[in-house]
Amino acid sequence: MRQFGSLVLKLGLAFFMGGLSLASADDFSLSGLEFAKATAKKAPEQTAMAVAPVKTQVAPGVWLAFSAGYNFANLGDLGAAAKNLDDFAAAGGDKVGDGTSGNGIQAGLALGVDLDKSDSLSLSVENTWTNQVGLNITSGGDAGARESFDPSLLGIKLNYELVIAQGGGSKTSFIVGAGFYHGAVDYYSDITPYGSQTITGNFGQDGVGGTVGVSEKLDLGGSLEFGASANFQAADFGKLTSNQMTENGTTSSSGGPFVLVTDHVNDPYTTVEPVPTSAGAPPSGYNYTDLDYTGFNADLSLTLHL
């Protein structure tokens, strides 16, 4: 009996200790889980940040360009009158000089700024000097008679240049420009209806015009570029006036301003004559003399990047 009680006691003790051990294990596991849950920190959420795109364009650069080259202009009535005068004099047996073409030279200066790698704006000042046209009888019955016109053109333009191809140290560009123009004619004649009088004057008119063309530039290294361009030009002046006129060396503004008119009816050849506007010009059979600078330019240039 005592042995049986001892066995029961041992079994009871073993059961109690086993239960305690199991409870401790469960408590440890549960408390560990709760600890992990309690101490676990939520991973920080990533905040979206707007990042400005990086611009790839180069910083604007300022440049200065010098240009010079060839100009051809239609000249309008001036060219036609010069040719008709020469033909008429030559038909009468006189030998004539001076020219009838619209060839000339042009020079200019431009200040520009690069907007990005392919765009630029510039402000240019250009002057064109056209060869003298007209009539100069060097021999024959009318030797010494002369009528001549010295045309010129001043242009101040705003230009836009767009690079359309580049590589290998060169670039090809499309250029368009527009702005203010002043057309002028230095006039001389001793064969006008004024008889033996010699008439001179500077006639001109303001207007607008423009150019469109292409250019090719070659990088010379450093800050220099060498270029060549070809442009179509449009500028026309239909009423050339002057505030004064010189007759036989005496300058007068009486009756002025004066205007150049072209006679297509009254003479067997075309003449260009100055008449006072107070006379209600142009007279019957005349029209205002047209100076047409429509033509083209071919220039060489040197560009300095500042």
Side-chain angles (χ1 to χ4, degrees):
M1 184 71 178
R2 181 177 296 178
Q3 291 177 345
F4 178 77
S6 177
L7 179 61
V8 171
L9 181 61
K10 289 180 179 180
L11 290 173
L13 182 59
F15 179 81
F16 174 78
M17 293 301 294
L20 181 60
S21 175
L22 180 62
S24 298
D26 290 342
D27 289 344
F28 177 79
S29 299
L30 291 173
S31 62
L33 181 61
E34 291 299 319
F35 176 80
K37 290 180 178 180
T39 59
K41 293 184 179 180
K42 193 174 183 181
E45 295 181 357
Q46 293 184 347
T47 303
M49 182 181 299
V51 180
V54 179
K55 293 184 177 180
T56 58
Q57 71 179 40
V58 297
V62 178
W63 48 268
L64 193 64
F66 306 87
S67 64
Y70 168 78
N71 171 267
F72 174 81
N74 178 277
L75 297 185
D77 287 336
L78 292 183
K83 185 177 185 309
N84 289 339
L85 283 169
D86 281 8
D87 290 346
F88 178 79
D94 293 323
K95 184 177 180 180
V96 298
D98 281 356
T100 60
S101 67
N103 298 317
I105 59 174
Q106 177 177 284
L109 176 67
L111 179 64
V113 58
D114 294 324
L115 303 179
D116 55 33
K117 289 183 178 180
S118 60
D119 299 84
S120 67
L121 286 176
S122 65
L123 181 66
S124 63
V125 179
E126 301 168 347
N127 203 89
T128 302
W129 300 269
T130 303
N131 291 341
Q132 184 182 84
V133 295
L135 170 70
N136 182 17
I137 301 178
T138 58
S139 64
D142 297 309
R146 182 163 71 93
E147 184 171 78
S148 63
F149 323 114
D150 285 304
S152 63
L153 179 69
L154 171 67
I156 302 175
K157 299 184 302 167
L158 182 65
N159 309 285
Y160 171 72
E161 181 175 347
L162 173 66
V163 177
I164 55 178
Q166 59 183 331
S170 66
K171 60 183 179 182
T172 304
S173 302
F174 168 78
I175 306 175
V176 59
F180 162 84
Y181 283 85
H182 177 77
V185 176
D186 280 330
Y187 175 85
Y188 174 94
S189 179
D190 56 22
I191 61 171
T192 66
Y194 298 104
S196 61
Q197 291 180 327
T198 298
I199 309 298
T200 62
N202 182 269
F203 295 80
Q205 184 183 13
D206 297 332
V208 295
T211 56
V212 58
V214 294
S215 74
E216 184 75 18
K217 291 183 180 179
L218 177 65
D219 187 0
L220 299 180
S223 301
L224 293 176
E225 286 181 324
F226 175 78
S229 65
N231 301 281
F232 170 79
Q233 176 177 274
D236 187 57
F237 308 93
K239 190 177 182 180
L240 303 166
T241 61
S242 176
N243 290 326
Q244 59 188 24
M245 199 168 60
T246 300
E247 300 180 20
N248 292 331
T250 301
T251 300
S252 173
S253 58
S254 177
F258 304 92
V259 61
L260 285 182
V261 295
T262 303
D263 182 359
H264 291 286
V265 177
N266 301 313
D267 290 330
Y269 54 89
T270 303
T271 59
V272 174
E273 305 166 14
V275 297
T277 56
S278 59
S284 177
Y286 290 73
N287 60 270
Y288 291 121
T289 300
D290 174 61
L291 172 61
D292 187 2
Y293 257 100
T294 299
F296 67 88
N297 308 316
D299 297 330
L300 298 178
S301 65
L302 187 65
T303 302
L304 173 65
H305 290 266
L306 305 176

